[in-house]
Amino acid sequence: MTSTNSPRIAIVTGGGNGIGRATARMLADAGYAVAVWDLAEQAAEEVVSAITAAGGVAIARKVDVSKPEDCAAAAAAVVERFGRIDVLINNAGVVRDGQLVKVKDGQVVGQMSAEQFQFVLDVCLKGVFNCTQAVVPTMIAQKYGRIVSTSSVVALYGNFGQTNYVAAKAGVIGMTRVWARELGRYGITANVVAPGFVATSMVESIPEKVLKSMIEHTPVGRAGQPDDIARAYLFLADEKSSFITGATLSVDGGSVLGT
Ligand code: ADP
């Protein structure tokens, strides 16, 4: 364990935008030193500049989470700079929607391509595996770690046009349950946050009518904000959340309850 006056060290993947950016900022405000990993290098650097300007400690790195060698090198750089890794927030994600088969006038006119399926699996599922595998040896050595990974409520109830994304996000829940069993004895917890509908760039392509209906089906009557999700990450990342592992926390304004 770190002494009380040395900061906890957290990594946020996909920390350059949306939920990841909000989480990186909130962690820094709470006193963590934050490594912002993102494929979008400039976005990561902007987040680090904002944190540094506010008096926090952060470093940026271009990382493609789908590449194990990128994740391993980035984890080594965090250890070299800070000496430990306390928290991993697996947040990087992509969508490439498409129906399993697209039917028009009774005819099959298209389908989700194998590449489309694989791309989302590589980032959203294998990326979580890669980053976790890269940090866990350090966490085992220090007998402390918090792994929090992002699923989605769609993993629980499915979603039209998202075979790839739902497969990846359901897989994150499954992997986390395995890691909770395998790593608990080393002081490492592994949990999942399952966001509902959150107002970020990922939902920009959703038609107005669909957005309206999504809000109508959310008991609290609004879309989520990145900070709503960041708060859940911070709760599960906390040292005191040591008896919570293998859990999936829906943060969705109640939408998963159905109507
Ligand atoms: P949301 O915040 O709703 O999850 P965003 O699209 O705003 O969605 O954020 C996802 C982040 O993940 C982006 O900053 C994006 O650059 C990052 N990202 C996407 N693919 C990768 C990848 N292969 N490796 C690292 N980061 C990635």
Side-chain angles (χ1 to χ4, degrees):
M1 294 285 214
T2 47
S3 67
T4 45
N5 47 12
S6 42
R8 290 274 182 209
I9 313 304
I11 296 166
V12 182
T13 76
N17 289 290
I19 295 168
R21 175 171 53 202
T23 305
R25 285 179 175 170
M26 205 179 274
L27 283 163
D29 284 348
Y32 291 80
V34 185
V36 180
W37 293 1
D38 205 300
L39 193 55
E41 193 173 12
Q42 204 190 325
E45 274 162 11
E46 281 168 18
V47 171
V48 166
S49 300
I51 289 173
T52 310
V57 178
I59 54 170
R61 186 175 175 109
K62 181 176 180 178
V63 178
D64 182 345
V65 297
S66 69
K67 297 194 173 129
E69 62 280 10
D70 260 29
C71 302
V78 173
V79 173
E80 195 180 314
R81 169 72 197 270
F82 296 113
R84 53 187 294 126
I85 300 171
D86 297 295
V87 175
L88 170 66
I89 308 286
N90 280 311
N91 160 82
V94 288
V95 286
R96 288 290 184 282
D97 293 357
Q99 287 165 245
L100 179 69
V101 287
K102 195 169 162 68
V103 181
K104 201 172 171 206
D105 301 328
Q107 300 291 316
V108 173
V109 293
Q111 63 179 20
M112 177 176 284
S113 69
E115 293 73 25
Q116 209 174 344
F117 182 80
Q118 195 60 49
F119 179 71
V120 172
L121 268 285
D122 281 349
V123 177
C124 296
L125 184 68
K126 194 166 154 250
V128 173
F129 171 80
N130 291 339
C131 293
T132 305
Q133 206 168 45
V135 305
V136 156
T138 300
M139 290 180 171
I140 288 175
Q142 67 200 19
K143 290 202 163 28
Y144 182 84
R146 298 278 178 267
I147 299 158
V148 192
S149 304
T150 310
S151 179
S152 164
V153 290
V154 302
L156 310 174
Y157 59 60
N159 202 19
F160 197 95
Q162 290 198 314
T163 296
N164 47 6
Y165 190 73
V166 170
K169 295 299 183 180
V172 168
I173 295 174
M175 293 198 300
T176 298
R177 289 177 178 158
V178 175
W179 298 338
R181 291 178 186 276
E182 291 184 354
L183 303 174
R185 74 196 71 169
Y186 306 111
I188 302 169
T189 64
N191 291 290
V192 169
V193 172
F197 165 44
V198 180
T200 67
S201 59
M202 241 190 220
V203 300
E204 264 166 22
S205 54
I206 301 175
E208 185 77 32
K209 212 175 87 184
V210 179
L211 286 185
K212 208 169 152 248
S213 144
M214 283 163 91
I215 290 171
E216 272 163 16
H217 290 89
T218 302
V220 304
R222 67 172 177 88
Q225 294 300 319
D227 276 1
D228 291 316
I229 312 303
R231 236 165 245 123
Y233 282 133
L234 262 84
F235 167 64
L236 293 168
D238 198 280
E239 188 178 336
K240 294 201 175 78
S241 299
S242 57
F243 204 57
I244 307 172
T245 195
T248 298
L249 177 59
S250 294
V251 184
D252 67 338
S255 68
V256 81
L257 300 171
T259 49

